[in-house]
Amino acid sequence: MNLPLTGRTADDLLTEIARLKGNDLPVRGGQVTAYVYDTGRAEIGEAAARAYAEMLEVNCLDPTAFPSVVEMERQVVGAVADLLGGGHGIFTSGGTESIMLAVKAARDAAGRSRPTLVLPVTAHPAFHKAAHYLGIAVVPVPVDLATYKVRAQDVEAAMDANTIMVVASAPSYPQGVIDPIEEVAAVAARAGVPCHVDACVGGWLLPWLREAGAAVPPFDLSVPGVTSLSCDLHKFGYAPKGASVVLFADPAMRRRAYFASAAWPGYTIINATVQSSRSAGPLGGAWATLQALGRKGYVELGRSALEATARLRAGITAIPGLRVLGEPESSLVAFTGDGIDVFVLADEARARGWFLQPQLSYAGIPANLHITVTGVTSAGVEAMVKVIAESAESARLRGPVVLPDGLVELVAGLDLDALDDTAFAELAASVGVDLRPGAGQPEMATVNAVLDALPAPAREAVLVRFLSVIYGS
């Protein structure tokens, strides 16, 4: 981007932003079933946006300079702790940072020379990211392919003297099921190992579903053996992006998550999060959203999501060739196709204005499409089911993606580090994927089919190059 010679007006800039967003997925209305969370109530978003803007330039780096940060964080973290079994928390920028801090605290407390992290194959990749950054080896544990839940005895068998933490999910994102938290936490406690519950999706949802009548098993810090928990407020808390909380049962473990440095002659460095300077905008937005909705508002949103999820599951089950994976215990639904290429189905739905999130096959779990049911979904369930049915029929008629002979083997055998971005873009173009700037959103069925056929390390290498080409120099 070249800087303009002279400054531009706010109106001009907003017009330009509107143009740039022309090909974006819509963030309101419920037709995008991932990434965004919509209450369906415009006044809630307005309250959050105004509070976000009010706190935008406040810096969380030094809470003694901005006491508003301390008070807002105490209220937000306190609300999460009250709902999820108590504890001592930190407000973070998202689930990945919450998980990073929990893993760091466990690593530092354990003091192992070769630390390992035991987790189900369905655990969020944020744990792999934390392990990568923090020098920890991951020990993956398979899940039951009928329920998609990890088994406590498998977690126990995977632990050894180097294990610094075990992980369970409430729910796991891929199929929306809750791992047996009480059993996993119990085997961890017997071994003297911390147990982290990833409730990034469910922490601010499952309690409201329980109040709405759902059978939600114990999963939070009230469960013996659970030592930390992550809960995203920018998911089912409906706050603007950049809002999560990590809770620790023991205040000493929270202190392990902090970072302080006095080994320089500058200003005092003490950070509760991975970031140092950070805007208080997300904190203000989260605080305002919680205050604007209140307990009754969240109960109603939970009831609406629960009812919408039941209707959606019934609608998908009635479509020939589609089946829901497992028994979702939250408002996340994943379905696969028998005789229907779900990647083609996703492209067909996208052409009809709906985004369904593709998930690749892994560890015996088939490729599938994922739907996050939010507060706004209830009004559009029938329309969504109609689109899925139409898209499934179109996908059946089109047939599965047919990849050129030898393409997967070629990609798997490539030394991608030896290719520059131009050469990689040409390779993508050879299978009909145009990555040039301004080319718009390509059909993704071919991309997903190639990725699905590759082993995980090759998938990761291709994805890194894909990102590099999109962003360019």
Short mmCIF file of all heavy atoms in Angstrom, two decimals, residues 202-227:
data_model
loop_
_atom_site.label_atom_id
_atom_site.label_comp_id
_atom_site.label_asym_id
_atom_site.label_seq_id
_atom_site.Cartn_x
_atom_site.Cartn_y
_atom_site.Cartn_z
N GLY A 202 -17.76 -23.62 24.63
CA GLY A 202 -18.89 -23.93 25.48
C GLY A 202 -18.98 -23.22 26.80
O GLY A 202 -20.03 -23.24 27.44
N GLY A 203 -17.88 -22.56 27.23
CA GLY A 203 -17.89 -21.98 28.56
C GLY A 203 -19.02 -21.00 28.80
O GLY A 203 -19.65 -21.01 29.87
N TRP A 204 -19.29 -20.15 27.81
CA TRP A 204 -20.36 -19.17 27.97
C TRP A 204 -21.62 -19.59 27.20
O TRP A 204 -22.43 -18.79 26.81
CB TRP A 204 -19.91 -17.78 27.54
CG TRP A 204 -20.71 -16.69 28.18
CD1 TRP A 204 -21.74 -15.98 27.61
CD2 TRP A 204 -20.60 -16.18 29.51
NE1 TRP A 204 -22.27 -15.09 28.50
CE2 TRP A 204 -21.58 -15.18 29.69
CE3 TRP A 204 -19.76 -16.49 30.58
CZ2 TRP A 204 -21.74 -14.47 30.87
CZ3 TRP A 204 -19.92 -15.78 31.77
CH2 TRP A 204 -20.90 -14.78 31.89
N LEU A 205 -21.76 -20.90 26.99
CA LEU A 205 -22.95 -21.44 26.33
C LEU A 205 -23.58 -22.56 27.14
O LEU A 205 -24.79 -22.54 27.39
CB LEU A 205 -22.57 -21.97 24.93
CG LEU A 205 -23.66 -22.77 24.19
CD1 LEU A 205 -24.83 -21.85 23.83
CD2 LEU A 205 -23.09 -23.45 22.95
N LEU A 206 -22.78 -23.54 27.56
CA LEU A 206 -23.33 -24.72 28.22
C LEU A 206 -24.14 -24.40 29.47
O LEU A 206 -25.20 -25.01 29.69
CB LEU A 206 -22.20 -25.69 28.55
CG LEU A 206 -21.49 -26.31 27.33
CD1 LEU A 206 -20.31 -27.16 27.79
CD2 LEU A 206 -22.46 -27.14 26.49
N PRO A 207 -23.72 -23.44 30.32
CA PRO A 207 -24.56 -23.14 31.49
C PRO A 207 -25.95 -22.64 31.11
O PRO A 207 -26.94 -22.95 31.78
CB PRO A 207 -23.76 -22.06 32.24
CG PRO A 207 -22.35 -22.30 31.82
CD PRO A 207 -22.43 -22.71 30.39
N TRP A 208 -26.03 -21.86 30.03
CA TRP A 208 -27.33 -21.35 29.60
C TRP A 208 -28.16 -22.46 28.95
O TRP A 208 -29.39 -22.48 29.10
CB TRP A 208 -27.16 -20.17 28.64
CG TRP A 208 -26.17 -19.16 29.13
CD1 TRP A 208 -25.01 -18.78 28.54
CD2 TRP A 208 -26.25 -18.39 30.35
NE1 TRP A 208 -24.36 -17.83 29.29
CE2 TRP A 208 -25.09 -17.58 30.41
CE3 TRP A 208 -27.17 -18.32 31.39
CZ2 TRP A 208 -24.84 -16.71 31.46
CZ3 TRP A 208 -26.92 -17.45 32.45
CH2 TRP A 208 -25.77 -16.67 32.48
N LEU A 209 -27.50 -23.37 28.23
CA LEU A 209 -28.23 -24.52 27.69
C LEU A 209 -28.79 -25.37 28.82
O LEU A 209 -29.91 -25.88 28.73
CB LEU A 209 -27.31 -25.37 26.81
CG LEU A 209 -26.76 -24.73 25.53
CD1 LEU A 209 -25.99 -25.77 24.71
CD2 LEU A 209 -27.86 -24.11 24.68
N ARG A 210 -28.01 -25.52 29.88
CA ARG A 210 -28.48 -26.28 31.04
C ARG A 210 -29.73 -25.63 31.63
O ARG A 210 -30.71 -26.32 31.96
CB ARG A 210 -27.37 -26.38 32.08
CG ARG A 210 -27.72 -27.24 33.29
CD ARG A 210 -26.61 -27.18 34.34
NE ARG A 210 -25.45 -27.95 33.95
CZ ARG A 210 -24.20 -27.52 34.03
NH1 ARG A 210 -23.94 -26.29 34.49
NH2 ARG A 210 -23.20 -28.30 33.68
N GLU A 211 -29.70 -24.31 31.76
CA GLU A 211 -30.87 -23.60 32.29
C GLU A 211 -32.07 -23.73 31.36
O GLU A 211 -33.21 -23.68 31.80
CB GLU A 211 -30.55 -22.12 32.53
CG GLU A 211 -29.66 -21.87 33.73
CD GLU A 211 -29.85 -20.47 34.31
OE1 GLU A 211 -30.95 -19.90 34.15
OE2 GLU A 211 -28.90 -19.97 34.93
N ALA A 212 -31.78 -23.91 30.06
CA ALA A 212 -32.87 -24.05 29.09
C ALA A 212 -33.38 -25.49 29.01
O ALA A 212 -34.28 -25.77 28.22
CB ALA A 212 -32.39 -23.60 27.71
N GLY A 213 -32.80 -26.39 29.79
CA GLY A 213 -33.32 -27.75 29.85
C GLY A 213 -32.42 -28.82 29.28
O GLY A 213 -32.78 -30.01 29.30
N ALA A 214 -31.25 -28.46 28.75
CA ALA A 214 -30.34 -29.46 28.20
C ALA A 214 -29.63 -30.23 29.31
O ALA A 214 -29.38 -29.69 30.39
CB ALA A 214 -29.32 -28.79 27.28
N ALA A 215 -29.31 -31.49 29.02
CA ALA A 215 -28.57 -32.32 29.98
C ALA A 215 -27.08 -32.06 29.77
O ALA A 215 -26.45 -32.69 28.91
CB ALA A 215 -28.91 -33.78 29.77
N VAL A 216 -26.53 -31.14 30.53
CA VAL A 216 -25.12 -30.77 30.40
C VAL A 216 -24.35 -31.35 31.59
O VAL A 216 -24.63 -31.00 32.74
CB VAL A 216 -24.95 -29.24 30.36
CG1 VAL A 216 -23.47 -28.87 30.33
CG2 VAL A 216 -25.67 -28.66 29.14
N PRO A 217 -23.38 -32.21 31.35
CA PRO A 217 -22.62 -32.79 32.46
C PRO A 217 -21.69 -31.77 33.10
O PRO A 217 -21.37 -30.74 32.50
CB PRO A 217 -21.81 -33.90 31.77
CG PRO A 217 -21.65 -33.43 30.36
CD PRO A 217 -22.92 -32.70 30.03
N PRO A 218 -21.24 -31.99 34.32
CA PRO A 218 -20.27 -31.08 34.96
C PRO A 218 -19.00 -30.97 34.12
O PRO A 218 -18.50 -31.97 33.61
CB PRO A 218 -19.99 -31.75 36.31
CG PRO A 218 -21.18 -32.63 36.56
CD PRO A 218 -21.62 -33.11 35.21
N PHE A 219 -18.48 -29.74 33.98
CA PHE A 219 -17.31 -29.57 33.12
C PHE A 219 -16.37 -28.47 33.59
O PHE A 219 -15.28 -28.32 33.04
CB PHE A 219 -17.76 -29.24 31.69
CG PHE A 219 -18.36 -27.87 31.54
CD1 PHE A 219 -17.57 -26.78 31.20
CD2 PHE A 219 -19.71 -27.65 31.76
CE1 PHE A 219 -18.11 -25.50 31.07
CE2 PHE A 219 -20.27 -26.39 31.64
CZ PHE A 219 -19.46 -25.31 31.30
N ASP A 220 -16.75 -27.68 34.60
CA ASP A 220 -15.98 -26.47 34.90
C ASP A 220 -15.06 -26.66 36.10
O ASP A 220 -14.72 -27.79 36.48
CB ASP A 220 -16.93 -25.28 35.09
CG ASP A 220 -17.95 -25.50 36.21
OD1 ASP A 220 -17.68 -26.33 37.11
OD2 ASP A 220 -19.00 -24.85 36.18
N LEU A 221 -14.63 -25.56 36.71
CA LEU A 221 -13.67 -25.63 37.82
C LEU A 221 -14.27 -26.24 39.09
O LEU A 221 -13.53 -26.51 40.04
CB LEU A 221 -13.11 -24.25 38.12
CG LEU A 221 -12.10 -23.68 37.13
CD1 LEU A 221 -11.64 -22.29 37.57
CD2 LEU A 221 -10.90 -24.59 36.96
N SER A 222 -15.56 -26.47 39.10
CA SER A 222 -16.16 -27.15 40.25
C SER A 222 -15.88 -28.66 40.22
O SER A 222 -16.09 -29.35 41.21
CB SER A 222 -17.67 -26.92 40.28
OG SER A 222 -18.30 -27.50 39.14
N VAL A 223 -15.40 -29.16 39.07
CA VAL A 223 -15.08 -30.59 38.94
C VAL A 223 -13.73 -30.85 39.58
O VAL A 223 -12.72 -30.22 39.22
CB VAL A 223 -15.06 -31.01 37.46
CG1 VAL A 223 -14.60 -32.46 37.32
CG2 VAL A 223 -16.42 -30.81 36.82
N PRO A 224 -13.63 -31.77 40.54
CA PRO A 224 -12.34 -32.09 41.16
C PRO A 224 -11.31 -32.50 40.11
O PRO A 224 -11.59 -33.32 39.23
CB PRO A 224 -12.67 -33.26 42.09
CG PRO A 224 -14.12 -33.10 42.39
CD PRO A 224 -14.74 -32.56 41.14
N GLY A 225 -10.13 -31.91 40.19
CA GLY A 225 -9.07 -32.23 39.25
C GLY A 225 -8.94 -31.26 38.10
O GLY A 225 -7.89 -31.22 37.44
N VAL A 226 -9.97 -30.47 37.80
CA VAL A 226 -9.86 -29.44 36.76
C VAL A 226 -9.10 -28.27 37.35
O VAL A 226 -9.52 -27.68 38.36
CB VAL A 226 -11.25 -28.99 36.24
CG1 VAL A 226 -11.10 -27.81 35.29
CG2 VAL A 226 -11.96 -30.14 35.55
N THR A 227 -7.98 -27.93 36.73
CA THR A 227 -7.11 -26.90 37.30
C THR A 227 -7.14 -25.59 36.52
O THR A 227 -6.74 -24.55 37.05
CB THR A 227 -5.67 -27.41 37.36
OG1 THR A 227 -5.27 -27.85 36.05
CG2 THR A 227 -5.55 -28.58 38.33
#
